[in-house]
Amino acid sequence: MASDGHGSERQRAASRRLSAIAGHLRTAGQQQRPQVAGIHCKAESSSDGEEAARSTTVPRRRQEVMKWNGWGYSDSRFLFNKKGQAEFTGRRYRLSGMVLPSLKDWFESTFGASLQHKSPATATLNASAVPFPSLNEAFLQDLKSTGIPFSHEAEDRVFRAHGHCLHEIFALREGKFGRVPDLVVWPNCHEDVVKTVDLACRHNVCLIPYGGGTSVSSALECPPDETRCIVSLDTSQMSRILWIDEKNLTAHVEAGIVGQDLERLLNESGYCTGHEPDSMEFSSLGGWVATRASGMKKNVYGNIEDLVVHIKMVCPRGVVEKSCQGPRVSIGPDIHHFIMGSEGTLGVVTEVTIKIRPMPEYQKYGSVVFPNFEQGVACLREVAKQRCAPASIRLMDNAQFQFGHALKPQVSSIFTSFLDGLKKFYITKFKGFDPHHLCVATLLFEGDRERVLQHEKQVYDIAAKFGGLAAGEDNGQRGYMLTFVIAYLRDLGMDYYVIGESFETSVPWDRVLDLCRNVKERIVRECRERGVQFPPLATCRVTQTYDAGACVYFYFAFNYRGLADPVNIYGRVEHAAREEILANGGSLSHHHGVGKLRKHWMPESISDVGIGMLKSVKEYVDPDNIFGSRNLL
Amino acid sequence: MASDGHGSERQRAASRRLSAIAGHLRTAGQQQRPQVAGIHCKAESSSDGEEAARSTTVPRRRQEVMKWNGWGYSDSRFLFNKKGQAEFTGRRYRLSGMVLPSLKDWFESTFGASLQHKSPATATLNASAVPFPSLNEAFLQDLKSTGIPFSHEAEDRVFRAHGHCLHEIFALREGKFGRVPDLVVWPNCHEDVVKTVDLACRHNVCLIPYGGGTSVSSALECPPDETRCIVSLDTSQMSRILWIDEKNLTAHVEAGIVGQDLERLLNESGYCTGHEPDSMEFSSLGGWVATRASGMKKNVYGNIEDLVVHIKMVCPRGVVEKSCQGPRVSIGPDIHHFIMGSEGTLGVVTEVTIKIRPMPEYQKYGSVVFPNFEQGVACLREVAKQRCAPASIRLMDNAQFQFGHALKPQVSSIFTSFLDGLKKFYITKFKGFDPHHLCVATLLFEGDRERVLQHEKQVYDIAAKFGGLAAGEDNGQRGYMLTFVIAYLRDLGMDYYVIGESFETSVPWDRVLDLCRNVKERIVRECRERGVQFPPLATCRVTQTYDAGACVYFYFAFNYRGLADPVNIYGRVEHAAREEILANGGSLSHHHGVGKLRKHWMPESISDVGIGMLKSVKEYVDPDNIFGSRNLL
């Protein structure tokens, strides 16, 4: 590995630069230029006792707070209580401790399900059902002398064996384990990663980087036929903000930090990145870079490619990074774009310089009701055309609007429910909106107060031209508040024979309506043809706007009771849905990525020459396929 | 070459997609799904007689309108008339036909030059001094049967042998020719390019794509030791707008179109791309993609990477392109970024889908005078921080401000010069600005009128906080008007022993002032140490603002009378200036690119692994180095 070569090349460049700077130093009568020597600048290394100082929310032993066979925190889950009302347990979320009285009826009528028909998960992780680790003893020996923490305990390994695709969670709930990592390592800093990768190359060990474990593309799945020792390289302990640069509004951060910690720590200094993917509680900076992540408020803050200023990645060939932090450059093809989207196949992202912004002075939610989805899409298209989109604007279809109603927490006051009733009357009877066609857009504005109010007016004026009716801040706020609990709902569904998944695409504006209609129709047809007993839920939402198109997000779920191989049926319907998306002009993915789940369509998506380009980079950077997740290609 | 493979892969994907769409077609009683067949959609090919319909401003025989040994149009040049006043000839520009009474004095005092000391260029291109073409007869034979126009006339070849680096123009002015292309071909469309590349591969001929010929990185220079037949693949006749998509606000355009034609044609439909590099009269869409071009109004329209939605490139390995036009995707590393910045080393960009915008309703220029450069930079930094930059904002240093004064055309009215005098009095005596320190920022606002006026107020308010004084629209407009004639000035300088060049960088905000100061100081020192008789002009301008930094543009020029090898001295000073830029945290280039001129610093800029990644792509895409310009690597 060329890490030493990288070091001395950088040292030589640094010497030359210091020498150039020194040329400007003058003192009276000085004949020769002063000598300036460089010293390596590094953050203090920390020991285990300082883990608290790192302020990581998710500990090294994830099992202390996370579920082993479902989404999120162990203490937070949906359940139906004895009265048949849905509750959300725990104390972490705004919704926590609340009762959702309408959810049961919606659930039973939407899926033809019944609370009597239970399909519970295996309660505890049976360590003895986990395959023994297949350890590379020479690697382990060398690893021990580095002092880098590691484990080959069953729980640690199972936790890092999967992402959150339906088939992965379904298998866990059945207590089934496929190929899992043999070893987990927790490097603490960039140098630890350099050592780990070096050892992996020397001993031919397979490395799979692990950030937040939120992949929904089967990216984290271990290839079942991988015979080498598989090491899960968990970046979670490499999570410090190394410096904040207030002059340039950037922060240099270790790539293992997760979204919630990054924002929380930056907020302490009055800053934020504003990058808020739905997975941000658990997903990591390195993972965002590796998958080309997108965040809810990209209209203000940009997507990951707009946010990063500098990336450092360790790969078998060495360390790759640019030597300057210029905001925009023309120095050949942009190597940041060789790293972004590489989905763990080239190396480990260790440090990232990311743009930060002062926290917004003011935030305001909003919502607009449209008579139908077509009008809503036309409104979003016009907002995009006028380039006046709020920080976030999302349009849900009628089915999601009804779903949103089912998620309303129990209202404590008669007055509030009276108000709700009034609103409903106004919208349906007075304004003539049909409750089976109307749609809702949720909005979030951010910025200085005066400009937010101006901006708000502009957007509502446009909405009115498309028959949109302002429906208040509450509805908007609730829409966004639900964002982080939606993922917990799937686990509830799976307790009652309902399985489902989300998937997404990006598509030009003129194809949006056809794509939404055709994909939903195709899902319904495919389910019927495959013997699904009750029509599926197929619903969509326009979740981002761009100049030349939009991001569309689908939810698809169905009742699998009576079916022999539900996961297989699910997979084939999803495959057909993706074919339908592509046929209608949509892309393979807007932000979830390709992983192993969508590799099949890569040649068609980027052409054979494109595939060849990616392969040539892989073969150069990682000729022995140390980073053997087999994503993408 | 895999062009056939590409065709059938695309055909198979297209069939699958049509089949999916057809699944939604239903007629009453129909048992089977209707069949839908695809037909290849292509624009009508045009013959030579339709050249006028293409509306290209620069004809195939460039020598009909362009200079052979200087910048731009033959009919437009600066000269000193008998009275010693500078004039700008021709009728193409606003400045054309005007007298510039102050230029002589500025020129003589700035450079210690004299109109008595003349260093004229060789007047005509001596065709017999041009090396005979080294033709590959087999290639030529096959080329003839394609019907693609070609030439091996001396003039055609010389015209495509160079860009506009100082050393290239200096050599031409001396009537000297190095290695020049042996053949020029003019493909008319994508298919012609496919055929040409195919033949080049078969006969091992070196291809150098030629767009507008405005490179300032020696990218177009033929490698002197290239023994194969060198073919200049001139894209200028491949210049149609194939379609305009008003629903998605995109246009699909052949890559040989030049900026002025693209904007003019789009304007006819009420649209624009808004991409306005200083070279836009001559530079091409394909060239912008290949070099990662930036435009004056990028604050509104974005740089080339923000503007492109789809790119098609022909390379020896085949045609590379994505199969969808989604606005933003996560499908692995973005192959568009393998193409952008490849500087002609991988293939020929043939067609691009680019974003278009409705033409702005309203435009307003402006200018602000600052007491000094530091205050000006601080103001630009604040404007960037508040994310309220106008379409364009540029801050020139004091030397450029004085230079701008020297370029003032003769004022026809006593009243206007009285006003100018008043302004000068006000700024200097009344407000106490020192004319040897003050700087000017020029501004351009675009958009709907109401918002422009609001925006304007916001920016001037910020400027006031930094001691800035609004100095009127005229000064702003003139600053931008000069943009397209500045390049002609170098030719004037070279008539009187003055040589010079511009170069640029991007740099974080906190390094801007040091970089500007240190680079100028270094230039002066290096010139002195190398025996330049009179201190050089070294001046800079902050020409773009970003969240995390700025683009800085330098002009460097000196009087070389009495020096034996002025171009060599120039080159070594420029080299030192670039070392100084890098030492001060600046990048290798913001938008000019690397070419051959800056290859030296590539490993340091993107790391050895980065170089290896680029090489691996090159070796896959073009294993025989058909695209043998030897740029970048």
Side-chain angles (χ1 to χ4, degrees):
Chain A
M1 191 170 99
S3 56
D4 287 326
H6 176 73
S8 41
E9 168 66 45
R10 278 176 67 65
Q11 275 158 358
R12 277 192 299 273
S15 287
R16 277 201 310 276
R17 293 179 181 195
L18 283 166
S19 175
I21 299 281
H24 297 279
L25 299 175
R26 297 256 181 274
T27 53
Q30 192 159 3
Q31 294 298 329
Q32 285 192 323
R33 290 192 190 138
Q35 295 304 308
V36 174
I39 52 169
H40 188 61
C41 169
K42 44 192 284 193
E44 292 166 14
S45 59
S46 51
S47 64
D48 280 9
E50 282 179 51
E51 201 164 311
R54 290 172 184 275
S55 308
T56 55
T57 305
V58 178
R60 193 194 302 177
R61 288 178 59 78
R62 300 176 76 83
Q63 50 270 47
E64 287 170 15
V65 297
M66 310 283 285
K67 299 193 187 80
W68 72 276
N69 63 354
W71 177 262
Y73 298 103
S74 304
D75 57 24
S76 303
R77 54 184 286 254
F78 282 101
L79 53 82
F80 286 107
N81 62 23
K82 294 199 168 60
K83 296 191 214 170
Q85 292 169 322
E87 279 182 29
F88 190 58
T89 67
R91 294 206 295 206
R92 293 181 188 266
Y93 299 91
R94 283 190 60 173
L95 203 67
S96 302
M98 291 193 172
V99 168
L100 287 70
S102 316
L103 189 57
K104 170 174 173 282
D105 287 348
W106 175 87
F107 182 70
E108 289 185 330
S109 60
T110 299
F111 296 107
S114 162
L115 299 200
Q116 310 309 321
H117 303 140
K118 296 176 165 43
S119 52
T122 306
T124 48
L125 201 174
N126 178 8
S128 55
V130 178
F132 279 122
S134 161
L135 295 170
N136 182 313
E137 288 302 333
F139 173 83
L140 195 52
Q141 207 55 40
D142 283 351
L143 183 69
K144 282 174 179 165
S145 42
T146 65
I148 296 168
F150 66 87
S151 161
H152 38 74
E153 286 180 33
E155 266 199 337
D156 292 327
R157 294 159 49 221
V158 166
F159 259 81
R160 292 161 184 79
H162 68 90
H164 284 270
C165 283
L166 173 72
H167 66 88
E168 296 177 292
I169 301 301
F170 196 92
L172 289 172
R173 287 171 63 95
E174 304 220 303
K176 291 182 182 152
F177 308 108
R179 182 75 168 91
V180 306
D182 302 297
L183 193 69
V184 179
V185 300
W186 288 281
N188 277 293
C189 59
H190 168 81
E191 283 308 317
D192 279 358
V193 173
V194 170
K195 288 174 190 164
T196 306
V197 174
D198 187 54
L199 289 182
C201 292
R202 233 185 282 161
H203 299 288
N204 195 25
V205 144
C206 172
L207 288 180
I208 298 184
Y210 183 92
T214 58
S215 165
V216 283
S217 66
S218 303
L220 288 170
E221 231 176 48
C222 297
D225 57 349
E226 177 59 71
T227 52
R228 295 173 297 178
C229 172
I230 296 179
V231 174
S232 177
L233 194 154
D234 185 320
T235 59
S236 63
Q237 305 310 296
M238 202 170 70
S239 57
R240 288 167 298 179
I241 296 179
L242 295 174
W243 41 251
I244 292 178
D245 180 344
E246 293 186 277
K247 288 183 175 170
N248 295 309
L249 291 177
T250 55
H252 193 69
V253 191
E254 289 180 321
I257 199 166
V258 300
Q260 59 170 313
D261 293 334
L262 176 59
E263 293 312 275
R264 186 169 40 78
L265 289 169
L266 287 173
N267 288 175
E268 285 170 14
S269 307
Y271 295 108
C272 65
T273 63
H275 182 66
E276 298 188 4
D278 291 356
S279 61
M280 72 179 286
E281 293 168 282
F282 312 114
S283 58
S284 68
L285 174 55
W288 303 337
V289 168
T291 60
R292 294 179 55 85
S294 174
M296 186 184 98
K297 301 191 290 189
K298 69 94 186 164
N299 290 337
V300 172
Y301 301 96
N303 285 319
I304 196 67
E305 66 272 23
D306 308 305
L307 281 163
V308 302
V309 174
H310 188 272
I311 304 172
K312 186 155 46 172
M313 180 173 78
V314 179
C315 39
R317 195 61 78 164
V319 178
V320 55
E321 63 177 318
K322 295 180 187 171
S323 65
C324 84
Q325 304 232 342
R328 190 270 181 185
V329 294
S330 170
I331 52 179
D334 186 352
I335 56 159
H336 283 174
H337 277 276
F338 286 47
I339 299 170
M340 288 189 285
S342 57
E343 301 195 13
T345 60
L346 299 181
V348 187
V349 175
T350 52
E351 293 175 11
V352 178
T353 307
I354 193 165
K355 294 199 287 194
I356 61 178
R357 296 289 301 162
M359 291 169 70
E361 168 190 310
Y362 185 64
Q363 269 190 341
K364 191 165 182 195
Y365 290 94
S367 61
V368 180
V369 182
F370 293 95
N372 54 55
F373 192 65
E374 292 72 21
Q375 297 270 76
V377 169
C379 172
L380 261 65
R381 199 274 169 275
E382 182 62 25
V383 164
K385 183 173 176 178
Q386 291 194 30
R387 288 188 166 171
C388 63
S392 170
I393 176 165
R394 301 174 171 176
L395 174 76
M396 61 187 85
D397 67 6
N398 182 263
Q400 275 188 42
F401 162 70
Q402 303 203 22
F403 177 34
H405 261 274
L407 288 169
K408 268 189 166 147
Q410 187 153 51
V411 153
S412 45
S413 112
I414 290 178
F415 182 65
T416 317
S417 68
F418 172 67
L419 269 188
D420 273 350
L422 257 189
K423 275 189 209 161
K424 192 168 165 181
F425 176 85
Y426 178 74
I427 285 171
T428 55
K429 300 277 177 276
F430 186 71
K431 282 288 184 177
F433 284 36
D434 180 343
H436 296 291
H437 284 106
L438 66 82
C439 304
V440 177
T442 55
L443 318 169
L444 172 61
F445 298 86
E446 269 188 11
D448 81 64
R449 194 170 182 284
E450 195 189 313
R451 236 169 287 284
V452 161
L453 298 176
Q454 248 182 4
H455 193 179
E456 201 191 15
K457 182 184 185 317
Q458 183 182 10
V459 173
Y460 284 122
D461 285 350
I462 294 173
K465 293 198 177 89
F466 295 92
L469 211 60
E473 288 178 63
D474 291 348
N475 286 317
Q477 190 160 24
R478 191 153 37 80
Y480 288 105
M481 187 254 291
L482 289 171
T483 296
F484 298 116
V485 300
I486 286 287
Y488 291 92
L489 267 172
R490 183 172 68 179
D491 293 329
L492 178 68
M494 288 175 88
D495 285 337
Y496 298 96
Y497 284 100
V498 171
I499 52 176
E501 188 88 285
S502 65
F503 51 87
E504 41 73 65
T505 186
S506 49
V507 58
W509 281 112
D510 68 331
R511 312 298 309 131
V512 171
L513 291 176
D514 283 353
L515 183 140
C516 288
R517 184 193 66 238
N518 286 356
V519 170
K520 288 191 279 190
E521 193 185 290
R522 180 77 180 264
I523 287 172
V524 169
R525 189 186 348 139
E526 293 281 339
C527 282
R528 189 172 61 237
E529 286 173 8
R530 289 179 186 353
V532 171
Q533 303 286 323
F534 199 86
L537 173 68
T539 164
C540 71
R541 169 168 88 227
V542 178
T543 205
Q544 291 291 0
T545 61
Y546 291 88
D547 285 330
C551 172
V552 178
Y553 214 86
F554 292 91
Y555 291 137
F556 158 45
F558 64 93
N559 178 347
Y560 71 86
R561 193 156 175 270
L563 296 174
D565 193 353
V567 172
N568 186 358
I569 287 171
Y570 169 80
R572 286 160 66 179
V573 176
E574 190 192 329
H575 190 278
R578 183 61 60 182
E579 287 281 345
E580 193 68 40
I581 285 170
L582 296 175
N584 281 271
S587 69
L588 193 51
S589 171
H590 168 266
H591 65 278
H592 280 176
V594 175
K596 294 179 261 298
L597 195 60
R598 285 178 274 277
K599 283 167 72 157
H600 168 69
W601 290 285
M602 278 295 279
E604 165 180 339
S605 295
I606 66 170
S607 76
D608 289 337
V609 179
I611 293 286
M613 286 166 146
L614 298 191
K615 279 186 173 161
S616 68
V617 172
K618 167 69 173 178
E619 278 157 22
Y620 162 73
V621 158
D622 184 18
D624 298 324
N625 195 30
I626 297 303
F627 286 90
S629 62
R630 302 196 210 157
N631 295 331
L632 286 179
L633 302 171
Chain B
M1 191 171 103
S3 57
D4 289 325
H6 175 72
S8 41
E9 168 65 44
R10 279 176 68 65
Q11 276 159 356
R12 278 192 298 273
S15 288
R16 277 200 310 275
R17 293 181 182 193
L18 284 167
S19 175
I21 299 281
H24 297 279
L25 299 174
R26 296 256 182 273
T27 54
Q30 192 159 3
Q31 294 299 329
Q32 286 191 326
R33 291 194 189 139
Q35 294 305 308
V36 176
I39 53 170
H40 188 61
C41 170
K42 43 192 284 191
E44 294 168 12
S45 58
S46 51
S47 64
D48 280 6
E50 281 178 54
E51 200 162 315
R54 289 171 185 277
S55 307
T56 56
T57 304
V58 179
R60 192 194 303 180
R61 289 179 59 78
R62 299 176 75 84
Q63 49 269 47
E64 286 169 17
V65 297
M66 311 282 287
K67 295 193 188 82
W68 72 276
N69 62 355
W71 177 263
Y73 297 104
S74 304
D75 57 25
S76 304
R77 54 186 285 253
F78 282 101
L79 53 83
F80 287 109
N81 64 21
K82 292 196 170 55
K83 295 187 212 168
Q85 294 168 321
E87 278 181 31
F88 190 59
T89 68
R91 294 206 295 208
R92 295 182 187 263
Y93 300 90
R94 283 191 59 175
L95 203 66
S96 301
M98 291 194 172
V99 169
L100 288 69
S102 316
L103 190 57
K104 171 174 174 286
D105 287 348
W106 174 86
F107 182 71
E108 290 186 328
S109 60
T110 299
F111 296 107
S114 159
L115 298 201
Q116 310 310 318
H117 302 141
K118 295 175 169 31
S119 53
T122 306
T124 49
L125 201 174
N126 177 9
S128 53
V130 179
F132 279 120
S134 160
L135 295 170
N136 182 314
E137 288 302 333
F139 173 84
L140 196 50
Q141 209 55 41
D142 282 351
L143 182 68
K144 281 176 179 164
S145 43
T146 65
I148 295 167
F150 67 88
S151 159
H152 38 73
E153 285 180 33
E155 268 200 335
D156 293 327
R157 293 158 51 219
V158 167
F159 260 82
R160 290 160 186 77
H162 68 90
H164 284 268
C165 283
L166 173 72
H167 66 88
E168 296 177 292
I169 301 302
F170 196 93
L172 289 172
R173 288 171 63 95
E174 303 219 305
K176 292 184 180 151
F177 309 109
R179 183 76 166 89
V180 305
D182 303 296
L183 194 71
V184 179
V185 299
W186 286 282
N188 278 293
C189 59
H190 168 81
E191 282 309 316
D192 279 359
V193 174
V194 171
K195 288 174 190 163
T196 307
V197 174
D198 187 54
L199 290 182
C201 290
R202 230 183 284 160
H203 298 288
N204 194 24
V205 143
C206 173
L207 287 180
I208 298 183
Y210 183 93
T214 58
S215 166
V216 286
S217 65
S218 302
L220 289 171
E221 231 178 47
C222 295
D225 58 349
E226 178 59 72
T227 54
R228 296 172 298 177
C229 171
I230 297 180
V231 175
S232 176
L233 194 155
D234 183 320
T235 59
S236 62
Q237 305 309 298
M238 203 169 69
S239 57
R240 289 168 297 177
I241 296 179
L242 296 176
W243 41 251
I244 291 178
D245 180 345
E246 293 187 278
K247 287 184 177 172
N248 295 310
L249 291 177
T250 55
H252 193 70
V253 192
E254 289 180 321
I257 199 167
V258 300
Q260 58 169 312
D261 293 335
L262 176 58
E263 292 315 273
R264 187 168 42 77
L265 289 170
L266 288 173
N267 288 176
E268 286 170 14
S269 306
Y271 295 107
C272 65
T273 62
H275 182 66
E276 299 188 5
D278 290 358
S279 62
M280 72 178 287
E281 294 168 281
F282 312 115
S283 58
S284 69
L285 174 54
W288 303 336
V289 168
T291 59
R292 294 179 53 85
S294 175
M296 186 185 98
K297 301 192 289 187
K298 70 93 186 163
N299 290 335
V300 172
Y301 300 97
N303 286 317
I304 195 67
E305 65 273 21
D306 308 304
L307 281 163
V308 301
V309 174
H310 188 271
I311 305 171
K312 186 156 41 173
M313 181 174 76
V314 179
C315 39
R317 195 60 81 164
V319 178
V320 55
E321 62 175 320
K322 295 181 187 171
S323 65
C324 83
Q325 303 231 346
R328 190 272 181 183
V329 294
S330 169
I331 50 179
D334 187 352
I335 57 160
H336 283 174
H337 277 275
F338 286 47
I339 298 170
M340 289 188 285
S342 56
E343 301 195 13
T345 59
L346 299 182
V348 187
V349 174
T350 53
E351 294 176 10
V352 180
T353 307
I354 193 165
K355 295 201 285 195
I356 60 178
R357 296 290 301 160
M359 289 169 70
E361 169 190 310
Y362 185 64
Q363 269 190 343
K364 191 167 182 194
Y365 290 93
S367 61
V368 180
V369 182
F370 293 95
N372 54 54
F373 192 65
E374 292 72 20
Q375 295 273 74
V377 170
C379 173
L380 261 64
R381 199 278 166 274
E382 183 60 26
V383 164
K385 181 172 178 180
Q386 292 194 28
R387 287 188 166 171
C388 63
S392 171
I393 178 165
R394 300 175 171 176
L395 175 75
M396 62 187 82
D397 67 6
N398 182 264
Q400 275 188 42
F401 161 70
Q402 303 202 21
F403 178 33
H405 261 274
L407 288 169
K408 269 193 164 140
Q410 188 151 48
V411 155
S412 46
S413 113
I414 290 176
F415 182 66
T416 317
S417 68
F418 172 68
L419 269 188
D420 274 351
L422 260 188
K423 275 187 208 162
K424 191 169 169 183
F425 176 83
Y426 178 74
I427 283 172
T428 52
K429 300 280 177 273
F430 187 71
K431 282 287 184 177
F433 282 36
D434 181 342
H436 296 293
H437 285 105
L438 65 83
C439 306
V440 176
T442 56
L443 318 168
L444 172 60
F445 298 86
E446 269 190 13
D448 82 65
R449 194 173 183 282
E450 196 188 310
R451 237 166 286 284
V452 161
L453 297 176
Q454 248 182 3
H455 193 180
E456 200 191 18
K457 180 179 189 313
Q458 182 182 12
V459 172
Y460 284 123
D461 284 350
I462 294 172
K465 294 200 177 88
F466 294 92
L469 211 60
E473 290 180 61
D474 291 350
N475 286 318
Q477 189 161 27
R478 194 156 35 82
Y480 289 104
M481 188 253 289
L482 289 171
T483 295
F484 298 117
V485 300
I486 287 286
Y488 290 94
L489 266 173
R490 184 171 70 180
D491 293 329
L492 178 69
M494 287 175 90
D495 284 339
Y496 298 95
Y497 283 100
V498 171
I499 52 176
E501 188 87 286
S502 66
F503 50 89
E504 40 74 62
T505 185
S506 49
V507 59
W509 280 113
D510 68 332
R511 311 298 309 133
V512 170
L513 290 176
D514 283 354
L515 183 141
C516 290
R517 186 193 66 241
N518 287 353
V519 170
K520 288 190 279 191
E521 195 187 290
R522 180 75 181 265
I523 287 172
V524 169
R525 188 185 352 136
E526 292 281 339
C527 281
R528 191 173 58 237
E529 287 174 8
R530 289 180 185 359
V532 172
Q533 302 286 323
F534 200 87
L537 172 69
T539 163
C540 70
R541 170 169 88 223
V542 178
T543 205
Q544 292 289 3
T545 61
Y546 291 88
D547 285 329
C551 172
V552 178
Y553 213 86
F554 291 91
Y555 291 136
F556 159 45
F558 65 93
N559 180 347
Y560 71 86
R561 192 159 176 267
L563 296 175
D565 193 352
V567 172
N568 186 0
I569 287 171
Y570 170 82
R572 286 160 67 180
V573 176
E574 189 193 330
H575 189 280
R578 183 61 60 184
E579 288 279 342
E580 194 67 40
I581 285 171
L582 296 176
N584 282 272
S587 69
L588 193 51
S589 170
H590 169 265
H591 66 278
H592 280 173
V594 175
K596 294 180 258 300
L597 195 60
R598 285 177 274 276
K599 282 167 72 157
H600 168 68
W601 290 286
M602 278 295 282
E604 165 181 338
S605 295
I606 65 169
S607 76
D608 290 338
V609 180
I611 293 286
M613 286 167 146
L614 297 191
K615 280 185 172 161
S616 68
V617 172
K618 166 70 172 179
E619 280 158 19
Y620 162 74
V621 159
D622 184 17
D624 298 325
N625 195 27
I626 297 302
F627 287 89
S629 62
R630 300 196 212 157
N631 296 331
L632 285 178
L633 301 171

